[in-house]
Amino acid sequence: MDAGITHLIINSAFEEPKRFWRYKRETRQFVLEEGARRPAGYVMATPGSRSFDDPGVFVEIPLVNQIRPRVKAWREAGYPGITGITKRLLEHWNDPEQRDSSRQFFFCTLEAIETLIWLRESAASERTGIDIPSDGGAFPRVCNKLATGGGKTTVMAMLIAWHILNKVAYPQDARFSKNVFVVAPGLTVKSRLQVLDPLRPENYYTDFAIVPPALGESLRQGRVMIHNWHVLSWETDKQIAKRRSVDKRGALSDEAYVRQVLGRLADVSNLLVINDEAHHAWRVPAEFKGRRADKELFDEATKWVGGLDRIHRARGILACHDFSATPFAPTGKTSTEESLFSWIVSDFGLNDAIESGLVKTPRVVIRDDGQYSKSYKSRFYHLYMDREVKDDLNRPAKPEEPLPDLVLTGYYLLGTDWLETKRSWESAGAKTPPVVITVANRTETAARIKNAFDKGKVLIEELCEPGQTLHIDSKVLTEAESKDEPTLSDESLEGEDETEGTRKLTKKDQAELLRLTVDTVGKMGAPGEQIQNVISVGMLSEGWDAKTVTHIMGLRAFSSQLLCEQVVGRGLRRTSYELNPESKLYDPEYVNIFGVPFTFLPHERDTGTPPPPPSFKTAIMPVKEREKEFSIQWPNVVRIDRVLRTRLAFDVSKIDPLRLSASDTAQLVELAPIVDGKPDVSKISEIDLQRLGERFRTQKIIFEAAGNIFELMRPSWTGSRESLLAQVIAHVERFIGSARIEIEPALFYRDDLKRRILLTLNMNKIVQHVFDRIKSDSTEALLPVFDTTKPIRSTSDVLTWYTGKPCEPTKKSHINFCVFDSTWEATEAFHIDRSPKVQAWVKNDHLGFEIVYVFKGVVRKYRPDFLIRLANGTYLILEVKGQDTAEAKAKHNALGEWVSGVNAHGGFATWNWQVSFEPSDVEDKLAKFADS
């Protein structure tokens, strides 16, 4: 055994793996296990683990580990028991002379099809003790787990050829079928899978020499139908009853359904079914009933598997083959817990693919020179979960609102590395650029990211090139993917419009053009050729196979292995498949990742022991009988805009000092490749912002900060835009040049380059600091902006929830119990509930009443503790706070602006606010406004 990783790719892609890297916790190093293959399985994080040295818990896939040695022995024995056709195919597939070097089959591809053949054709005695679990349905399923880049489509073509050729040669053999139904997750994958139809001129059977030429005519006697899963959808009687249409005919019978779905295959029986990206096709657990969350997943899984059930009842499914790199399905126990398909029969996982060089190696941030997170990891590791980021990104912000400083710093660092990659590619003659993909948490976040690049807020100008950023509208793309055929015609692109010179595209054509652009990122001569920056909400399209992805930014919650692997999988396709002439192995390629906690894996419950008895929980809900007397309504304010004076006041001598610490701001990060779920620290790569020192010019910092303030002030500005911008630039320049910015340590203040970098990476803090002073001195009026979909909220909107926390019943509240977070709250709630000055009240718990505030340049939310309607009809927002900290003052200032804006608007009664600093002062706080 060798200590440490000398080279990551250690196996040939064309031979069975003979070694693997294993993590050794005692030394926190990897050791090379010689003469052995990594067992089939995956690693979960140890419960409660907080650092990278967690060895994890290995979860075996026992069925695969049981099958593997038997298939190997059967292979080495010459495949006994198989038909003459199968023997001819296997000899053809294993003969390297039948195809050129670029089309040779990977070992994992051959092992996957050999496993399927062994299960069907080997002697029964060979399969003794092999029990493939059912998925709970009436037809049999088997799953091949194959990492991205492992040749999944090739295995499907082999599977189809094996079945059709055997059925044509031996029509009475019930083990085979010559009628194949392939189900894809969307139009993009469906289009790609057309290569599985032997009747098409361009097909895998010819391109990869899957079928000997002499058997080509026999192959064309089979029939292959390829659809996306949406064709399986149907309407129930209940759905039909809700339709506005006059046509109220009942739901289709299974017979009518099959004729509608299968078309030219409608009269055949015993179909061979292939599910691509089969992690979408799972049976809904009983626990999912009534859940509103994951409705789209629920509907898709129901229609996909339910449609196959209907086909099986009407025609019979001989066998159903599932293919997926991540065959996990929700368990129904929690919203994030998933379990592996139990019917997996072969596995070539991501670690195997990395060690064989089939995919790029993911590298994640493990260290930086800034402050670490509470999990002792870099804050860029799971960016979205950082306190400075989560609240800010999880709100309906306007596109022009600046991104959090930490996110912008992440883009600076990632963009710096991307720029070096781009220059390297250009010098090598590449015609397409490397690609950065961002996966965001919501549409508003994606719009802010797009705006930041469009307006050059990310100081990597080359990454902000107009026309080379693709902002994906997820709803539009989903709609396009649900179509059975492309809708965009050449005429749609070439037609003329009298006014604009080009024909206007319909919404359907626009959706199809978006799908086509996404599908062709990095492909010469296609709409996506020069795209270098892709911004998406949620997931990118299934089957997205851009080979030019080099960098990934994750800005959403990642709570499961499935989601991490799917997002990272979008960037794992290699750009080159040229073997190193000396080693005969592939050279490594990398994808650098921020924000996707790729070493995180889910912790599953131990289902082998009885669960503990459930703890008692109290149901918290509105009391219907109290609604008329005790319900409380409040205006649902999204933000407070300001009317500003045309002449802005700004006295730099009165502004509070802004303290910036270099220890809070990362300027250098270290990335390490991930092997077996752990970082290989012997292969550290570095990104240092000081390489881009010339880009952090003082004048650039002034203009960027002024531009951000200008965008914040413009909606409420009544004067000319030129006057506003000129004044803001002057004020920012005065502040930047003043002594009101205090930098620690002193080295950063004296070193001009370090100071400029630190100012750039704390742009939001500068913007907010200057903006707060301008607002304080120059605001004439406050204007509340209300949520357009629900401008008024009420205690009647509260849904029933359950808690194990201490709580007591209420008398004057619409909500049945008040839940306590402290004894102080319990004391104050008691006084409020019995006070004659109070008409109605409610603890602000699960109400959705939030105040947005900004502290140190970071947008956050907080929830004041009590909403009270006093006996005189006025309202009081009461906050319980033990210490008057700087952050507490920022919260109270925002609350005061909310109250002033709502009162100035009128129509919502009179609102007031107070802070209780000790339990005994609550009566005085109530009396102050109840007696006025």
mmCIF file of all heavy atoms in Angstrom, residues 472-510:
data_model
loop_
_atom_site.group_PDB
_atom_site.id
_atom_site.type_symbol
_atom_site.label_atom_id
_atom_site.label_comp_id
_atom_site.label_asym_id
_atom_site.label_seq_id
_atom_site.Cartn_x
_atom_site.Cartn_y
_atom_site.Cartn_z
ATOM 1 N N ILE A 472 -31.867 30.927 -17.635
ATOM 2 C CA ILE A 472 -32.887 29.936 -17.964
ATOM 3 C C ILE A 472 -34.159 30.203 -17.179
ATOM 4 O O ILE A 472 -34.143 30.213 -15.950
ATOM 5 C CB ILE A 472 -32.382 28.512 -17.668
ATOM 6 C CG1 ILE A 472 -31.149 28.206 -18.523
ATOM 7 C CG2 ILE A 472 -33.468 27.482 -17.926
ATOM 8 C CD1 ILE A 472 -30.504 26.880 -18.193
ATOM 9 N N ASP A 473 -35.250 30.424 -17.889
ATOM 10 C CA ASP A 473 -36.573 30.512 -17.269
ATOM 11 C C ASP A 473 -37.066 29.077 -17.075
ATOM 12 O O ASP A 473 -37.430 28.399 -18.038
ATOM 13 C CB ASP A 473 -37.532 31.304 -18.167
ATOM 14 C CG ASP A 473 -38.878 31.549 -17.507
ATOM 15 O OD1 ASP A 473 -39.381 30.641 -16.829
ATOM 16 O OD2 ASP A 473 -39.437 32.654 -17.686
ATOM 17 N N SER A 474 -37.057 28.610 -15.836
ATOM 18 C CA SER A 474 -37.340 27.201 -15.557
ATOM 19 C C SER A 474 -38.731 26.784 -16.001
ATOM 20 O O SER A 474 -38.932 25.682 -16.524
ATOM 21 C CB SER A 474 -37.169 26.919 -14.059
ATOM 22 O OG SER A 474 -35.847 27.177 -13.661
ATOM 23 N N LYS A 475 -39.722 27.667 -15.813
ATOM 24 C CA LYS A 475 -41.087 27.324 -16.216
ATOM 25 C C LYS A 475 -41.184 27.159 -17.721
ATOM 26 O O LYS A 475 -41.817 26.226 -18.222
ATOM 27 C CB LYS A 475 -42.061 28.398 -15.730
ATOM 28 C CG LYS A 475 -42.257 28.422 -14.220
ATOM 29 C CD LYS A 475 -43.293 29.460 -13.809
ATOM 30 C CE LYS A 475 -43.490 29.458 -12.297
ATOM 31 N NZ LYS A 475 -44.470 30.493 -11.875
ATOM 32 N N VAL A 476 -40.543 28.078 -18.442
ATOM 33 C CA VAL A 476 -40.575 28.015 -19.910
ATOM 34 C C VAL A 476 -39.856 26.758 -20.387
ATOM 35 O O VAL A 476 -40.323 26.046 -21.277
ATOM 36 C CB VAL A 476 -39.925 29.275 -20.525
ATOM 37 C CG1 VAL A 476 -39.779 29.128 -22.037
ATOM 38 C CG2 VAL A 476 -40.751 30.508 -20.189
ATOM 39 N N LEU A 477 -38.704 26.460 -19.778
ATOM 40 C CA LEU A 477 -37.940 25.284 -20.187
ATOM 41 C C LEU A 477 -38.709 24.001 -19.864
ATOM 42 O O LEU A 477 -38.730 23.068 -20.681
ATOM 43 C CB LEU A 477 -36.586 25.274 -19.486
ATOM 44 C CG LEU A 477 -35.622 24.154 -19.898
ATOM 45 C CD1 LEU A 477 -35.283 24.242 -21.376
ATOM 46 C CD2 LEU A 477 -34.346 24.209 -19.068
ATOM 47 N N THR A 478 -39.331 23.945 -18.703
ATOM 48 C CA THR A 478 -40.112 22.764 -18.326
ATOM 49 C C THR A 478 -41.242 22.536 -19.309
ATOM 50 O O THR A 478 -41.528 21.396 -19.699
ATOM 51 C CB THR A 478 -40.668 22.915 -16.895
ATOM 52 O OG1 THR A 478 -39.579 23.064 -15.981
ATOM 53 C CG2 THR A 478 -41.495 21.704 -16.505
ATOM 54 N N GLU A 479 -41.891 23.621 -19.722
ATOM 55 C CA GLU A 479 -42.982 23.503 -20.695
ATOM 56 C C GLU A 479 -42.456 22.960 -22.014
ATOM 57 O O GLU A 479 -43.080 22.097 -22.646
ATOM 58 C CB GLU A 479 -43.637 24.869 -20.914
ATOM 59 C CG GLU A 479 -44.806 24.831 -21.877
ATOM 60 C CD GLU A 479 -45.439 26.196 -22.095
ATOM 61 O OE1 GLU A 479 -45.141 27.124 -21.327
ATOM 62 O OE2 GLU A 479 -46.225 26.324 -23.048
ATOM 63 N N ALA A 480 -41.300 23.472 -22.453
ATOM 64 C CA ALA A 480 -40.726 22.993 -23.714
ATOM 65 C C ALA A 480 -40.331 21.526 -23.605
ATOM 66 O O ALA A 480 -40.511 20.745 -24.552
ATOM 67 C CB ALA A 480 -39.516 23.839 -24.085
ATOM 68 N N GLU A 481 -39.800 21.115 -22.442
ATOM 69 C CA GLU A 481 -39.380 19.726 -22.255
ATOM 70 C C GLU A 481 -40.572 18.769 -22.232
ATOM 71 O O GLU A 481 -40.429 17.583 -22.506
ATOM 72 C CB GLU A 481 -38.591 19.583 -20.941
ATOM 73 C CG GLU A 481 -37.176 20.136 -20.990
ATOM 74 C CD GLU A 481 -36.232 19.264 -21.798
ATOM 75 O OE1 GLU A 481 -36.638 18.170 -22.238
ATOM 76 O OE2 GLU A 481 -35.075 19.681 -21.987
ATOM 77 N N SER A 482 -41.753 19.272 -21.885
ATOM 78 C CA SER A 482 -42.927 18.409 -21.799
ATOM 79 C C SER A 482 -43.549 18.121 -23.161
ATOM 80 O O SER A 482 -44.417 17.256 -23.281
ATOM 81 C CB SER A 482 -43.985 19.053 -20.892
ATOM 82 O OG SER A 482 -44.540 20.209 -21.502
ATOM 83 N N LYS A 483 -43.102 18.845 -24.212
ATOM 84 C CA LYS A 483 -43.639 18.604 -25.555
ATOM 85 C C LYS A 483 -43.105 17.282 -26.089
ATOM 86 O O LYS A 483 -42.009 16.849 -25.759
ATOM 87 C CB LYS A 483 -43.255 19.739 -26.508
ATOM 88 C CG LYS A 483 -43.685 21.124 -26.027
ATOM 89 C CD LYS A 483 -45.184 21.233 -25.857
ATOM 90 C CE LYS A 483 -45.590 22.622 -25.386
ATOM 91 N NZ LYS A 483 -47.024 22.704 -25.032
ATOM 92 N N ASP A 484 -43.895 16.671 -26.974
ATOM 93 C CA ASP A 484 -43.480 15.400 -27.543
ATOM 94 C C ASP A 484 -42.572 15.590 -28.756
ATOM 95 O O ASP A 484 -41.805 14.705 -29.109
ATOM 96 C CB ASP A 484 -44.703 14.568 -27.937
ATOM 97 C CG ASP A 484 -44.365 13.098 -28.101
ATOM 98 O OD1 ASP A 484 -43.611 12.579 -27.268
ATOM 99 O OD2 ASP A 484 -44.822 12.487 -29.087
ATOM 100 N N GLU A 485 -42.663 16.766 -29.398
ATOM 101 C CA GLU A 485 -41.833 17.057 -30.558
ATOM 102 C C GLU A 485 -41.367 18.503 -30.488
ATOM 103 O O GLU A 485 -42.053 19.355 -29.919
ATOM 104 C CB GLU A 485 -42.614 16.843 -31.864
ATOM 105 C CG GLU A 485 -43.038 15.402 -32.123
ATOM 106 C CD GLU A 485 -41.862 14.470 -32.366
ATOM 107 O OE1 GLU A 485 -40.773 14.978 -32.722
ATOM 108 O OE2 GLU A 485 -42.013 13.249 -32.178
ATOM 109 N N PRO A 486 -40.200 18.836 -31.090
ATOM 110 C CA PRO A 486 -39.754 20.237 -31.162
ATOM 111 C C PRO A 486 -40.766 21.074 -31.932
ATOM 112 O O PRO A 486 -41.412 20.588 -32.869
ATOM 113 C CB PRO A 486 -38.420 20.150 -31.915
ATOM 114 C CG PRO A 486 -37.975 18.729 -31.761
ATOM 115 C CD PRO A 486 -39.232 17.910 -31.700
ATOM 116 N N THR A 487 -40.927 22.353 -31.547
ATOM 117 C CA THR A 487 -41.900 23.225 -32.209
ATOM 118 C C THR A 487 -41.250 24.282 -33.081
ATOM 119 O O THR A 487 -41.918 24.960 -33.844
ATOM 120 C CB THR A 487 -42.771 23.951 -31.155
ATOM 121 O OG1 THR A 487 -41.907 24.715 -30.298
ATOM 122 C CG2 THR A 487 -43.546 22.951 -30.325
ATOM 123 N N LEU A 488 -39.931 24.446 -32.985
ATOM 124 C CA LEU A 488 -39.244 25.525 -33.698
ATOM 125 C C LEU A 488 -38.883 25.075 -35.100
ATOM 126 O O LEU A 488 -38.217 24.072 -35.293
ATOM 127 C CB LEU A 488 -37.979 25.938 -32.937
ATOM 128 C CG LEU A 488 -37.279 27.209 -33.412
ATOM 129 C CD1 LEU A 488 -38.178 28.417 -33.229
ATOM 130 C CD2 LEU A 488 -35.974 27.414 -32.667
ATOM 131 N N SER A 489 -39.318 25.841 -36.091
ATOM 132 C CA SER A 489 -39.022 25.527 -37.485
ATOM 133 C C SER A 489 -37.996 26.503 -38.025
ATOM 134 O O SER A 489 -37.786 27.581 -37.487
ATOM 135 C CB SER A 489 -40.296 25.605 -38.329
ATOM 136 O OG SER A 489 -40.820 26.921 -38.309
ATOM 137 N N ASP A 490 -37.355 26.132 -39.133
ATOM 138 C CA ASP A 490 -36.399 27.035 -39.772
ATOM 139 C C ASP A 490 -37.073 28.322 -40.197
ATOM 140 O O ASP A 490 -36.497 29.404 -40.126
ATOM 141 C CB ASP A 490 -35.767 26.356 -40.990
ATOM 142 C CG ASP A 490 -34.867 25.195 -40.591
ATOM 143 O OD1 ASP A 490 -34.441 25.190 -39.429
ATOM 144 O OD2 ASP A 490 -34.603 24.327 -41.432
ATOM 145 N N GLU A 491 -38.358 28.208 -40.628
ATOM 146 C CA GLU A 491 -39.070 29.409 -41.056
ATOM 147 C C GLU A 491 -39.259 30.382 -39.910
ATOM 148 O O GLU A 491 -39.282 31.593 -40.096
ATOM 149 C CB GLU A 491 -40.439 29.030 -41.648
ATOM 150 C CG GLU A 491 -40.368 28.288 -42.971
ATOM 151 C CD GLU A 491 -39.998 26.812 -42.802
ATOM 152 O OE1 GLU A 491 -39.958 26.342 -41.645
ATOM 153 O OE2 GLU A 491 -39.717 26.163 -43.815
ATOM 154 N N SER A 492 -39.375 29.853 -38.703
ATOM 155 C CA SER A 492 -39.569 30.721 -37.540
ATOM 156 C C SER A 492 -38.359 31.617 -37.330
ATOM 157 O O SER A 492 -38.481 32.743 -36.852
ATOM 158 C CB SER A 492 -39.804 29.878 -36.285
ATOM 159 O OG SER A 492 -40.982 29.124 -36.389
ATOM 160 N N LEU A 493 -37.173 31.130 -37.678
ATOM 161 C CA LEU A 493 -35.953 31.907 -37.489
ATOM 162 C C LEU A 493 -35.627 32.775 -38.687
ATOM 163 O O LEU A 493 -34.979 33.808 -38.561
ATOM 164 C CB LEU A 493 -34.775 30.958 -37.210
ATOM 165 C CG LEU A 493 -34.836 30.198 -35.883
ATOM 166 C CD1 LEU A 493 -33.694 29.211 -35.807
ATOM 167 C CD2 LEU A 493 -34.797 31.152 -34.714
ATOM 168 N N GLU A 494 -36.054 32.344 -39.886
ATOM 169 C CA GLU A 494 -35.636 33.034 -41.095
ATOM 170 C C GLU A 494 -36.671 34.014 -41.632
ATOM 171 O O GLU A 494 -36.356 34.855 -42.464
ATOM 172 C CB GLU A 494 -35.334 31.999 -42.182
ATOM 173 C CG GLU A 494 -34.156 31.103 -41.799
ATOM 174 C CD GLU A 494 -33.953 29.974 -42.788
ATOM 175 O OE1 GLU A 494 -34.731 29.922 -43.773
ATOM 176 O OE2 GLU A 494 -33.037 29.159 -42.593
ATOM 177 N N GLY A 495 -37.922 33.938 -41.178
ATOM 178 C CA GLY A 495 -38.958 34.809 -41.719
ATOM 179 C C GLY A 495 -38.697 36.273 -41.413
ATOM 180 O O GLY A 495 -37.985 36.630 -40.487
ATOM 181 N N GLU A 496 -39.292 37.172 -42.179
ATOM 182 C CA GLU A 496 -39.068 38.604 -42.032
ATOM 183 C C GLU A 496 -40.241 39.276 -41.348
ATOM 184 O O GLU A 496 -41.388 38.902 -41.537
ATOM 185 C CB GLU A 496 -38.848 39.242 -43.414
ATOM 186 C CG GLU A 496 -37.567 38.806 -44.098
ATOM 187 C CD GLU A 496 -36.340 39.281 -43.359
ATOM 188 O OE1 GLU A 496 -36.346 40.414 -42.860
ATOM 189 O OE2 GLU A 496 -35.374 38.511 -43.252
ATOM 190 N N ASP A 497 -39.934 40.279 -40.580
ATOM 191 C CA ASP A 497 -40.946 41.128 -39.958
ATOM 192 C C ASP A 497 -40.775 42.535 -40.520
ATOM 193 O O ASP A 497 -39.664 43.044 -40.617
ATOM 194 C CB ASP A 497 -40.772 41.142 -38.435
ATOM 195 C CG ASP A 497 -41.818 42.007 -37.758
ATOM 196 O OD1 ASP A 497 -42.905 41.496 -37.506
ATOM 197 O OD2 ASP A 497 -41.518 43.183 -37.508
ATOM 198 N N GLU A 498 -41.880 43.170 -40.931
ATOM 199 C CA GLU A 498 -41.793 44.455 -41.619
ATOM 200 C C GLU A 498 -41.135 45.525 -40.773
ATOM 201 O O GLU A 498 -40.437 46.401 -41.273
ATOM 202 C CB GLU A 498 -43.196 44.921 -42.034
ATOM 203 C CG GLU A 498 -43.832 44.006 -43.084
ATOM 204 C CD GLU A 498 -45.214 44.496 -43.458
ATOM 205 O OE1 GLU A 498 -45.643 45.531 -42.904
ATOM 206 O OE2 GLU A 498 -45.863 43.873 -44.303
ATOM 207 N N THR A 499 -41.326 45.486 -39.457
ATOM 208 C CA THR A 499 -40.819 46.567 -38.605
ATOM 209 C C THR A 499 -39.457 46.264 -38.019
ATOM 210 O O THR A 499 -38.642 47.147 -37.857
ATOM 211 C CB THR A 499 -41.814 46.832 -37.456
ATOM 212 O OG1 THR A 499 -42.005 45.622 -36.732
ATOM 213 C CG2 THR A 499 -43.140 47.310 -38.009
ATOM 214 N N GLU A 500 -39.196 44.996 -37.703
ATOM 215 C CA GLU A 500 -37.958 44.695 -37.003
ATOM 216 C C GLU A 500 -36.952 43.922 -37.847
ATOM 217 O O GLU A 500 -35.840 43.667 -37.428
ATOM 218 C CB GLU A 500 -38.264 43.888 -35.729
ATOM 219 C CG GLU A 500 -39.135 44.678 -34.749
ATOM 220 C CD GLU A 500 -39.385 43.872 -33.489
ATOM 221 O OE1 GLU A 500 -38.740 42.831 -33.301
ATOM 222 O OE2 GLU A 500 -40.220 44.298 -32.689
ATOM 223 N N GLY A 501 -37.342 43.530 -39.055
ATOM 224 C CA GLY A 501 -36.397 42.845 -39.923
ATOM 225 C C GLY A 501 -36.340 41.349 -39.714
ATOM 226 O O GLY A 501 -35.836 40.623 -40.544
ATOM 227 N N THR A 502 -36.851 40.867 -38.593
ATOM 228 C CA THR A 502 -36.913 39.422 -38.358
ATOM 229 C C THR A 502 -38.301 39.068 -37.858
ATOM 230 O O THR A 502 -38.977 39.880 -37.229
ATOM 231 C CB THR A 502 -35.888 38.984 -37.298
ATOM 232 O OG1 THR A 502 -36.115 39.704 -36.099
ATOM 233 C CG2 THR A 502 -34.465 39.251 -37.780
ATOM 234 N N ARG A 503 -38.686 37.878 -38.156
ATOM 235 C CA ARG A 503 -40.005 37.429 -37.747
ATOM 236 C C ARG A 503 -40.058 37.235 -36.234
ATOM 237 O O ARG A 503 -39.129 36.681 -35.644
ATOM 238 C CB ARG A 503 -40.319 36.111 -38.444
ATOM 239 C CG ARG A 503 -41.687 35.553 -38.113
ATOM 240 C CD ARG A 503 -41.951 34.333 -38.968
ATOM 241 N NE ARG A 503 -43.195 33.716 -38.606
ATOM 242 C CZ ARG A 503 -43.698 32.657 -39.229
ATOM 243 N NH1 ARG A 503 -43.041 32.130 -40.240
ATOM 244 N NH2 ARG A 503 -44.845 32.131 -38.848
ATOM 245 N N LYS A 504 -41.138 37.713 -35.601
ATOM 246 C CA LYS A 504 -41.285 37.547 -34.154
ATOM 247 C C LYS A 504 -41.632 36.100 -33.846
ATOM 248 O O LYS A 504 -42.465 35.491 -34.508
ATOM 249 C CB LYS A 504 -42.376 38.473 -33.622
ATOM 250 C CG LYS A 504 -42.011 39.950 -33.682
ATOM 251 C CD LYS A 504 -43.113 40.810 -33.077
ATOM 252 C CE LYS A 504 -42.720 42.281 -33.077
ATOM 253 N NZ LYS A 504 -43.791 43.137 -32.518
ATOM 254 N N LEU A 505 -40.980 35.569 -32.803
ATOM 255 C CA LEU A 505 -41.231 34.193 -32.415
ATOM 256 C C LEU A 505 -42.448 34.113 -31.501
ATOM 257 O O LEU A 505 -42.672 34.988 -30.671
ATOM 258 C CB LEU A 505 -40.011 33.614 -31.685
ATOM 259 C CG LEU A 505 -38.706 33.531 -32.476
ATOM 260 C CD1 LEU A 505 -37.618 32.944 -31.580
ATOM 261 C CD2 LEU A 505 -38.864 32.703 -33.727
ATOM 262 N N THR A 506 -43.218 33.061 -31.667
ATOM 263 C CA THR A 506 -44.327 32.806 -30.746
ATOM 264 C C THR A 506 -43.749 32.358 -29.404
ATOM 265 O O THR A 506 -42.565 32.034 -29.293
ATOM 266 C CB THR A 506 -45.233 31.702 -31.299
ATOM 267 O OG1 THR A 506 -44.477 30.475 -31.348
ATOM 268 C CG2 THR A 506 -45.723 32.037 -32.703
ATOM 269 N N LYS A 507 -44.608 32.321 -28.387
ATOM 270 C CA LYS A 507 -44.135 31.871 -27.069
ATOM 271 C C LYS A 507 -43.643 30.432 -27.134
ATOM 272 O O LYS A 507 -42.658 30.069 -26.485
ATOM 273 C CB LYS A 507 -45.266 32.000 -26.043
ATOM 274 C CG LYS A 507 -45.556 33.442 -25.632
ATOM 275 C CD LYS A 507 -46.558 33.502 -24.500
ATOM 276 C CE LYS A 507 -46.765 34.941 -24.040
ATOM 277 N NZ LYS A 507 -47.747 35.020 -22.933
ATOM 278 N N LYS A 508 -44.309 29.593 -27.931
ATOM 279 C CA LYS A 508 -43.871 28.202 -28.068
ATOM 280 C C LYS A 508 -42.504 28.138 -28.725
ATOM 281 O O LYS A 508 -41.638 27.361 -28.327
ATOM 282 C CB LYS A 508 -44.893 27.402 -28.881
ATOM 283 C CG LYS A 508 -46.170 27.067 -28.126
ATOM 284 C CD LYS A 508 -47.056 26.161 -28.948
ATOM 285 C CE LYS A 508 -48.329 25.791 -28.167
ATOM 286 N NZ LYS A 508 -49.217 24.907 -28.965
ATOM 287 N N ASP A 509 -42.310 28.975 -29.754
ATOM 288 C CA ASP A 509 -41.017 28.987 -30.435
ATOM 289 C C ASP A 509 -39.917 29.521 -29.524
ATOM 290 O O ASP A 509 -38.771 29.044 -29.547
ATOM 291 C CB ASP A 509 -41.092 29.826 -31.711
ATOM 292 C CG ASP A 509 -41.803 29.097 -32.837
ATOM 293 O OD1 ASP A 509 -41.952 27.867 -32.739
ATOM 294 O OD2 ASP A 509 -42.216 29.750 -33.820
ATOM 295 N N GLN A 510 -40.248 30.527 -28.709
ATOM 296 C CA GLN A 510 -39.268 31.064 -27.766
ATOM 297 C C GLN A 510 -38.857 29.988 -26.757
ATOM 298 O O GLN A 510 -37.677 29.853 -26.414
ATOM 299 C CB GLN A 510 -39.841 32.280 -27.036
ATOM 300 C CG GLN A 510 -40.000 33.506 -27.920
ATOM 301 C CD GLN A 510 -40.739 34.627 -27.208
ATOM 302 O OE1 GLN A 510 -41.130 34.494 -26.060
ATOM 303 N NE2 GLN A 510 -40.922 35.736 -27.900
#
